């Protein structure tokens, strides 16, 4: 379960339907070219929170079928609809996904008892393991060290996807739970996260930039910090260019430049502008 995971992009056609052929190509590109260890399916990058349960199931099924057992698969099943999350947890467990993940329930201000009940309900409904998806800047949910401790009392909850810039908390969590899996969630902060001892990383940019991310991982672990920083610098030049051009659209356009049918984003996300397409070409040529 350790290593580098792409938060998988999903290809949609112009009408916003899942483009199966394109999705399969993205999976293959991740495995064959980016050399990732695993795929995190149904996350923010997968535009998951805009999809119906049927569409989510279809994506989980296609990805498993294309990836086979070549890489580790994590399914993000979290949803404000807890019954749906449970149904998806059963579905992906049946398909053979290696672990589940679930975003902290958002929008309503759920109290911690409610959040804890959400996680235990999902993971106790199946014979599988759970990785907490913590992304406070989008959910507004900030879990504390003590709250992570309480969640980890359930042994089936095995880790955290930590998408936050709070490195004090990351250090505390790492020290407190040496046997839990911690994944870095912000690609632009991979170097310091690896220095603090994360077990892996899950991110959107690894769909195209997996090779550099692997170098950062290896260089930090070998103690070659200067070299690692050079690679992180190039990586972050790329990431800031991509963010300023619209991150998901740019990642998809770069994949298209590489011959992958990455399609469009789904509404309410905007379609491509001419400028975005031209700029993505430049970014692709500059970094890949
Ligand atoms: O899951 C991703 N988060 C979102 C992780 O897309 C919200 C990250 O990989 C970021 O896209 C990336 C760029 O900020 O670090």
């Amino acid at each position: 379960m350790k290593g580098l995971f792409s938060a998988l992009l999903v290809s949609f056609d112009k009408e916003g339907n899942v483009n199966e052929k394109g999705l399969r190509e993205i999976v293959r590109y991740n495995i064959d070219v980016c050399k990732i260890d695993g795929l995190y399916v149904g996350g923010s990058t997968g535009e998951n929170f805009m999809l119906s349960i049927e569409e989510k199931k279809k994506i989980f099924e296609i990805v498993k079928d294309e990836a086979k057992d070549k890489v580790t698969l994590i399914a993000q099943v979290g949803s404000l609809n807890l019954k749906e999350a449970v149904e998806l947890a059963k579905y992906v467990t049946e398909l053979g996904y290696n672990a589940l993940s679930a975003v902290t329930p958002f929008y309503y201000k759920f109290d911690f008892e409610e959040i804890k009940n959400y996680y235990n309900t999902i993971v106790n409904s199946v014979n599988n393991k759970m990785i907490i998806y913590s992304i406070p800047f989008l959910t507004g949910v900030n879990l504390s060290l003590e709250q992570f401790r309480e969640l980890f009392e359930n042994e089936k909850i095995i880790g955290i996807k930590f998408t936050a810039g709070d490195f004090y908390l990351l250090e505390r969590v790492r020290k407190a739970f040496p046997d839990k899996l911690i994944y870095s969630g912000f690609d632009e902060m991979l170097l310091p996260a690896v220095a603090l001892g994360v077990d892996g990383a899950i991110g959107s940019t690894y769909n195209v930039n997996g090779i550099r991310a692997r170098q950062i991982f290896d260089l930090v672990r070998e103690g070659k910090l200067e070299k690692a920083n050079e690679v992180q610098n190039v990586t972050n030049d790329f990431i800031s260019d991509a963010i300023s051009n619209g991150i998901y659209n740019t990642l998809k356009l770069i994949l298209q430049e590489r011959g992958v049918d990455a399609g469009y984003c789904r509404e309410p996300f905007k379609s491509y502008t001419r400028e975005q397409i031209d700029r993505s070409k430049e970014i692709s040529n500059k970094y890949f």
Side-chain angles (χ1 to χ4, degrees):
M1 290 294 304
K2 298 184 179 185
L4 198 64
F5 287 67
S6 283
L8 190 69
L9 288 157
V10 173
S11 179
F12 296 96
D13 66 20
K14 259 199 157 124
E15 284 70 48
N17 302 307
V18 176
N19 167 2
E20 174 168 349
K21 172 180 160 282
L23 176 56
R24 287 182 184 274
E25 288 181 20
I26 297 174
V27 170
R28 275 205 302 278
Y29 189 84
N30 267 294
I31 298 173
D32 297 342
V33 180
C34 296
K35 310 278 182 205
I36 45 78
D37 301 302
L39 296 171
Y40 185 89
V41 187
S44 312
T45 307
E47 301 173 63
N48 172 78
F49 302 108
M50 299 180 274
L51 305 182
S52 71
I53 185 165
E54 289 76 25
E55 290 169 318
K56 293 178 190 181
K57 284 183 175 175
K58 184 171 167 193
I59 291 165
F60 286 132
E61 202 248 307
I62 293 168
V63 174
K64 175 65 191 178
D65 184 63
E66 192 61 41
K68 305 271 180 328
D69 294 319
K70 289 185 207 144
V71 294
T72 306
L73 294 178
I74 301 173
Q76 196 297 120
V77 299
S79 163
L80 281 190
N81 180 344
L82 183 52
K83 286 185 194 297
E84 175 181 305
V86 168
E87 188 177 331
L88 287 172
K90 290 179 179 162
Y91 187 77
V92 298
T93 300
E94 194 73 20
L95 281 176
Y97 274 71
N98 303 87
L100 311 171
S101 182
V103 70
T104 52
F106 50 92
Y107 192 79
Y108 301 103
K109 302 281 176 208
F110 297 106
D111 69 25
F112 181 64
E113 283 311 305
E114 290 164 336
I115 293 172
K116 193 168 144 189
N117 175 59
Y118 164 93
Y119 280 107
N120 288 331
T121 301
I122 298 171
V123 76
N124 290 340
S125 71
V126 286
N127 181 19
N128 211 338
K129 301 156 287 202
M130 167 67 70
I131 293 155
I132 299 161
Y133 180 11
S134 175
I135 180 159
F137 98 98
L138 289 181
T139 59
V141 181
N142 281 283
L143 293 171
S144 67
L145 181 66
E146 283 319 308
Q147 290 173 333
F148 280 122
R149 191 187 307 284
E150 253 192 84
L151 292 170
F152 283 149
E153 279 169 14
N154 184 338
E155 284 183 0
K156 294 172 83 177
I157 302 183
I158 59 164
I160 312 171
K161 170 169 161 21
F162 188 95
T163 307
D166 185 345
F167 281 86
Y168 177 38
L169 179 61
L170 179 58
E171 181 275 339
R172 292 287 81 191
V173 168
R174 176 70 297 172
K175 166 138 193 300
F177 314 112
D179 299 328
K180 297 289 182 183
L181 292 164
I182 304 177
Y183 300 91
S184 162
F186 270 134
D187 315 3
E188 50 277 55
M189 301 182 216
L190 181 60
L191 188 161
V194 179
L196 284 177
V198 294
D199 302 288
I202 301 169
S204 64
T205 61
Y206 308 144
N207 283 275
V208 297
N209 196 43
I211 301 292
R212 283 196 192 92
R214 170 88 57 200
Q215 287 170 357
I216 294 169
F217 234 105
D218 292 346
L219 287 166
V220 175
R221 288 190 165 168
E222 290 160 15
K224 298 175 179 158
L225 285 185
E226 225 169 284
K227 199 95 201 85
N229 207 22
E230 281 171 24
V231 185
Q232 185 77 66
N233 286 153
V234 179
T235 290
N236 288 2
D237 289 344
F238 159 59
I239 293 177
S240 63
D241 281 351
I243 288 175
S244 70
N245 196 46
I247 181 121
Y248 302 141
N249 273 353
T250 302
L251 294 175
K252 287 185 181 185
L253 287 165
I254 291 173
L255 283 172
Q256 290 182 19
E257 285 293 304
R258 325 305 313 159
V260 177
D261 180 14
Y264 297 83
C265 284
R266 164 115 157 186
E267 283 186 320
F269 281 136
K270 288 197 291 282
S271 186
Y272 307 125
T273 62
R274 187 68 253 166
E275 273 171 11
Q276 220 173 16
I277 295 171
D278 293 344
R279 182 96 185 87
S280 295
K281 262 196 193 116
E282 283 170 29
I283 296 172
S284 182
N285 291 333
K286 186 164 171 200
Y287 299 103
F288 301 103

